[in-house]
Structure formats: structure tokens, C-alpha cells
Amino acid sequence: MSKRALSVTREQDFPEWYQVAVRDGDMAETSPVRGCMVIKPWGWGVWERIQAELDARIKDTGHENCYFPLFIPMSFLAKEAEHVEGFAKEMAVVTHHRLKNEGGKLVVDPAAKLEEPLIVRPTSETIIGDAFQRWIKSYRDLPLLINQWANVVRWEMRTRLFLRTTEFLWQEGHTAHADRDDAMAETRKMLEVYREFAENVLAMPVIAGEKPANERFPGADNTYSIEAMMQDGKALQAGTSHYLGTHFAEAQNIQFQNREGQLEYCHTTSWGVSTRLIGGVIMTHGDDDGLRMPPKIAPRQIVIVPMLRDKPEDKDLLDYCASLEKELKAKGIRVLVDAKPVKSAEKRWNWVRRGAPVIVEIGGRDAAGGNVTFMRRDVLRDGDKIVSHTKPVAEFVAGAPALLDDIQAKLFAEAKARLDGNIVTGIKTFDELAEYFGAADAEDEGGAFKGWAYVAWAKPEGAKLEAIAERLKALKLTIRNAPLDQKPVEGMCLFTGDAAREYVLIGRAY
């Protein structure tokens, strides 16, 4: 029997398990700046892989990368009232541009007050819109398709590494189109890019759908999301895509001359994912031994741990490991030989906690016999027993790409079975919904796993929707989205008793 690598299990305390998994997995740590994180090399390597995979998809769909300022004049945000209202409580504001020494202490120089306050970027619709109104003159300039990779600041009171931090990293796409149909097609296309990326790269199954009106991005006509189920049953909004109508175009005078020589406002979109995806990967795939990284985003897909004994024969062992490393790299595999002067068992568990997909341990007998002994991180144990495999080196190298593909597929299959098996149907009334999920404080008291509910509703808006949102809020529930893949709707709205128009997913969320 081998004890678990983490000090707390998911069943004991899932939120604490997450924090320990991030820390012991060497992903990130808190910083001296409240609400901000230091992303460590292994965590940054994961983000680099996410960037590389997603950036290729963004470019393949015709978008170009660019960069816009971190600071946004307050007057830009003031042009779009609904937008500014949605972010007002989260904005960081720069009001002065200089400090001075006063009595041996640094203080803000009151004489250095800015003529206009600057907002530290919470999102970039307004400043990018300012550029669009200069760049777009004719229908020939459309569609305009851009993306930027950047950092964002939204002031948060309760933070959690990767999931909710004051500063985070993301990509934000912004596009302008001649008409609604083209803009809506772009919105849905990028949602599908996110869905495919989440499932095929992150091995994280999601449900794509449209947000209700009260959950839309501030200023949007339509907001779509991909929702992932974490191992505690909560939803994680893993990506969003917004059709913004002409609201931002009207506020910032983004017009084009159509084929008939008349001026029209552009229809715009925006869409983005962030470092929150890393938190989603951890909570989707992690186990009580730490992280389990899907091979497609693991900075090192295979880690080789030579069992060094501080003896002359260590050189032959290292040469054997270096030869194996070279052969694997020739197959396009990201591989590392961990030759640090640390006990091999300690190194092995370090890589287990980090979630390296395949951990190879090479001892003197392996080298002498031309063999490779390895562990798969996706199936590390049989019960409490650690499972290892031994193969001839040539067979291992030849099968390594297929081995990684199998790990990727099995991580996805495991998560997909959890998602599909934990969406309850058949709830017809609000009382049944409340009874199913239990009291709002149940989750704080280690309540049972619940998953999501798939219920019919009438798609109300305005005061009716706000009243529904308040009833759900009392139970710490939200409508996640109305799945795009809908079965024929039947029955009455769970909330209003009116004829149902569609199905929605309801659950607790991060």
C-alpha cells in the first residue's frame, strides 16, 4: 500500500484539495499583491501549450493577433453605459502619474493628478472600438478579425488561484461585420472553436449553449458559453462568445460605407478564454495524488527519472537515459531527463503531483537489460497499489505516441462519463429543484455531489427573469446555459407555468 501524495483528499475537502493540488503540483502561488498570483514554470508551461494550440486555431479561422494598451481612458467606457455598469465595481483606476518623497516616505504627488483617470484594462471592447472606427471606412474593410493575448484586471474580493484572481491572463477576440448574420455566424463559429479545443486538447467535456438574458456580457445582445462539470458537480464557465449587435459601434461611431454608398453601423463580436481553463483542467482531471495533465498540454509529456546512486556506473545510466530522450524527441515528444541530485523516489512523486502523463524510472537493471519501466499518470494505481509497466526500449519508443494518445482519450472518456451521468432530468417544479439541490449552505457543509438539472422553461426576460434569478440565488444556483443541442421541448416552464420554449441547465458554479 502507498499513501496518497496529497495531504487532503477530494472527498474530505474539495476546495482545500484544489489549493493543495495547485501548490504541490508546482503550478502557482499567491503573491505579495493581494489577489494576484505568481505562475510557476510548470504552470506557465501549461499556459504556453494552451496558447500555442488555441492560437493556431484562432489564426486558422482568419484572425490576426495585435496588441492594445493596458490603460483605457474613462471617457471611452462612459460611452457605453450598460457596459460600464457591468464592470464598475471591478475596475482599478489610475488617477496620478508621479510619487514624491515627503518626510522620508513615498506619497502620491497631488500635483501629478491626471486630467482624465485611466482604467486598468478589465476588457478591451471600448479601446479596440476606438481603433475600429479609424480602420473601417468601407464594406471592403469587413469583416475585420483580430485577437490579442493580454492580461486583465478585475478587482476581486474572494480570490482562488487560476479560478478567480484580480489579474489574470487571457485572449480576447474582437471582430466587426457588415450585418447581423455574418456577426452571429462568427460568434457561433468561435464558440465551436472553444468547444473543440476544450474537448480535444484539454480533454474537458463541455456543453455549449446560450446564456439567459440576465447572464449576458454587459452590452451584448447574445452571450454563448461552454460549461464544464468539475468533480464536485459544480459548473465552470470555461469560455464565452458574444454577439454585441451595434451597441458598441453606435457608442464609438464604427461605421462603414455600404455598396450603395450609405453609412451603416458595424455589427461586432467579442470572445475569450483565460487562465481559468487551467483551474478547470485541475478540477476535471486531478486525483488524490495530484494533477493529471492531458498530454496535449503537458509541458513535458514523458519524464525520465534515472535512479542514481552516486557511483561510477551512474554515467552509463545517464547515457542510456540520454539516448532514450533523443529517440523520444525524434518522435516529437516533449521529454525531460530529471537528473537532479535528489532521491529518485522524491523526484518520482514530484512528477506524480505535477501530473506528467508518463513517468519513466530507469535503474541499472533496466539499462543493462535494454528495458524501460514506466507509470501512466492516468491509471497510477490499482486500488492503493502503484501500477508500473516494463517494456523493451525499442517497443516503448515505438509505442510512445500511441500511449500518449490513449492517456488523452481515457482522461476525456472518464470526464465525459461523469458529465453525462450527472445531469438529472424529470424535475418539473421549483420545489422539486430545491429538494434535489438542498439548502444553499449544503455545499459549505460538504454536501453530496449533485451535478446539474436539465429543466424546461419559457425563456422569460425582464422582471420575471430577475425574480427567477433571485429565487435561484437563494439556493446558490444559476442557469448555466440553454444547450445548443436541444431535444424537442415538452411540458410547462418550471418557474412560470407557461408553455416551455427550451431546456436549460441549472447548477452551482464557480
Side-chain angles (χ1 to χ4, degrees):
M1 181 182 293
S2 175
K3 66 181 286 188
R4 299 291 170 170
L6 299 187
S7 59
V8 62
T9 68
R10 292 161 293 170
E11 185 176 357
Q12 289 170 339
D13 188 336
F14 192 82
E16 178 63 17
W17 167 85
Y18 174 80
Q19 301 284 17
V20 171
V22 171
R23 181 195 69 205
D24 291 3
D26 217 24
M27 294 290 288
E29 63 185 18
T30 56
S31 79
V33 182
R34 186 188 177 282
C36 296
M37 62 180 168
V38 175
I39 302 177
K40 300 176 80 172
W42 184 250
W44 186 257
V46 172
W47 181 240
E48 284 183 322
R49 293 303 310 158
I50 288 173
Q51 282 184 299
E53 290 277 358
L54 185 54
D55 195 60
R57 287 163 169 79
I58 289 170
K59 288 172 179 171
D60 284 347
T61 48
H63 303 82
E64 295 181 293
N65 283 337
C66 57
Y67 186 79
F68 288 84
L70 175 65
F71 302 111
I72 301 172
M74 184 179 287
S75 59
F76 281 32
L77 288 154
K79 292 177 182 178
E80 225 301 323
E82 185 178 355
H83 185 63
V84 79
E85 183 181 353
F87 287 104
K89 294 180 181 179
E90 301 176 346
M91 291 182 184
V93 186
V94 179
T95 57
H96 292 73
H97 66 81
R98 185 170 63 234
L99 302 175
K100 69 175 184 178
N101 192 314
E102 194 172 89
K105 294 183 178 180
L106 281 177
V107 298
V108 173
D109 186 348
K113 187 174 182 179
L114 298 173
E115 290 185 14
E116 179 180 3
L118 297 173
I119 309 301
V120 183
R121 173 175 51 222
T123 183
S124 299
E125 278 76 10
T126 56
I127 197 161
I128 289 178
D130 177 71
F132 277 14
Q133 62 89 16
R134 296 193 304 275
W135 297 351
I136 297 169
K137 301 301 179 186
S138 164
Y139 69 90
R140 297 181 182 88
D141 299 321
L142 299 173
L144 180 55
L145 312 173
I146 66 163
N147 175 69
Q148 78 164 342
W149 292 89
N151 62 337
V152 170
V153 172
R154 297 179 187 173
W155 217 257
E156 295 283 357
M157 301 307 293
R158 298 178 64 185
T159 59
R160 191 176 300 182
L161 294 175
F162 291 114
L163 295 176
R164 192 172 293 277
T165 51
T166 296
E167 180 193 21
F168 57 92
L169 306 177
W170 76 348
Q171 60 75 213
E172 51 178 320
H174 297 268
T175 69
H177 306 262
D179 56 44
R180 182 188 186 282
D181 287 349
D182 196 49
M184 183 59 79
E186 167 76 8
T187 305
R188 295 282 293 268
K189 176 173 67 178
M190 296 315 298
L191 183 74
E192 171 58 19
V193 167
Y194 289 157
R195 185 208 62 77
E196 182 276 334
F197 170 78
E199 297 198 338
N200 291 336
V201 177
L202 306 182
M204 185 168 70
V206 295
I207 294 181
E210 184 175 2
K211 289 283 192 182
N214 65 311
E215 295 282 348
R216 288 174 187 153
F217 179 74
D221 278 6
N222 304 84
T223 287
Y224 297 85
S225 70
I226 52 171
E227 304 285 334
M229 183 182 288
M230 304 295 98
Q231 290 184 60
D232 61 351
K234 287 186 181 180
L236 182 80
Q237 181 176 285
T240 51
S241 187
H242 318 286
Y243 167 60
L244 304 176
T246 59
H247 301 304
F248 286 88
E250 291 170 19
Q252 301 201 273
N253 199 34
I254 308 171
Q255 297 187 82
F256 69 98
Q257 191 175 58
N258 64 22
R259 293 176 184 274
E260 289 72 43
Q262 299 169 326
L263 286 177
E264 292 186 40
Y265 287 109
C266 291
H267 293 250
T268 63
T269 80
S270 66
W271 30 272
V273 299
S274 74
T275 38
R276 169 174 261 232
L277 287 175
I278 296 176
V281 167
I282 294 168
M283 291 194 294
T284 298
H285 301 304
D287 65 15
D288 294 339
D289 287 309
L291 312 181
R292 294 191 301 170
M293 282 295 163
K296 288 184 180 179
I297 60 166
R300 295 288 186 266
Q301 296 167 307
I302 297 178
V303 174
I304 302 169
V305 177
M307 301 174 72
L308 303 174
R309 301 186 183 278
D310 198 22
K311 293 183 177 180
E313 53 264 33
D314 282 353
K315 183 182 182 305
D316 292 335
L317 183 59
L318 288 171
D319 287 345
Y320 184 81
C321 291
S323 175
L324 175 59
E325 177 188 31
K326 183 178 180 181
E327 290 185 64
L328 291 169
K329 283 184 175 180
K331 289 186 171 291
I333 294 171
R334 297 185 295 280
V335 59
L336 170 73
V337 175
D338 186 350
K340 292 192 297 292
V342 177
K343 290 181 179 179
S344 57
E346 184 178 340
K347 288 192 286 188
R348 175 214 307 151
W349 285 109
N350 283 341
W351 289 111
V352 165
R353 287 187 285 266
R354 290 176 181 176
V358 177
I359 302 166
V360 174
E361 287 189 301
I362 302 291
R365 290 183 181 179
D366 292 304
N371 292 321
V372 170
T373 299
F374 66 97
M375 298 177 291
R376 292 175 55 138
R377 186 61 188 87
D378 61 322
V379 283
L380 182 68
R381 296 175 183 266
D382 180 4
D384 284 330
K385 182 182 178 182
I386 302 297
V387 178
S388 62
H389 313 265
T390 300
K391 289 185 176 182
V393 65
E395 181 182 341
F396 175 77
V397 170
L403 172 63
L404 294 171
D405 288 345
D406 189 57
I407 293 172
Q408 182 85 23
K410 287 188 173 175
L411 286 174
F412 177 78
E414 180 183 315
K416 187 71 164 66
R418 183 188 311 120
L419 173 66
D420 292 345
N422 289 285
I423 298 177
V424 64
T425 59
I427 292 177
K428 303 296 184 184
T429 69
F430 191 86
D431 287 344
E432 290 176 4
L433 185 75
E435 182 180 358
Y436 174 73
F437 280 103
D441 59 0
E443 60 173 323
D444 300 323
E445 298 173 358
F449 178 101
K450 286 298 181 182
W452 304 341
Y454 184 73
V455 305
W457 83 324
K459 205 174 180 179
E461 295 196 13
K464 278 189 177 182
L465 178 55
E466 292 303 322
I468 290 168
E470 286 301 312
R471 293 179 74 190
L472 291 171
K473 184 179 179 181
L475 296 171
K476 290 190 175 179
L477 296 172
T478 53
I479 296 172
R480 303 315 304 157
N481 66 27
L484 297 181
D485 185 10
Q486 291 264 331
K487 67 179 185 180
V489 67
E490 299 175 349
M492 313 304 287
C493 174
L494 177 144
F495 303 103
T496 67
D498 298 328
R501 294 175 57 190
E502 65 183 7
Y503 290 97
V504 291
L505 291 169
I506 294 175
R508 293 186 172 129
Y510 285 93

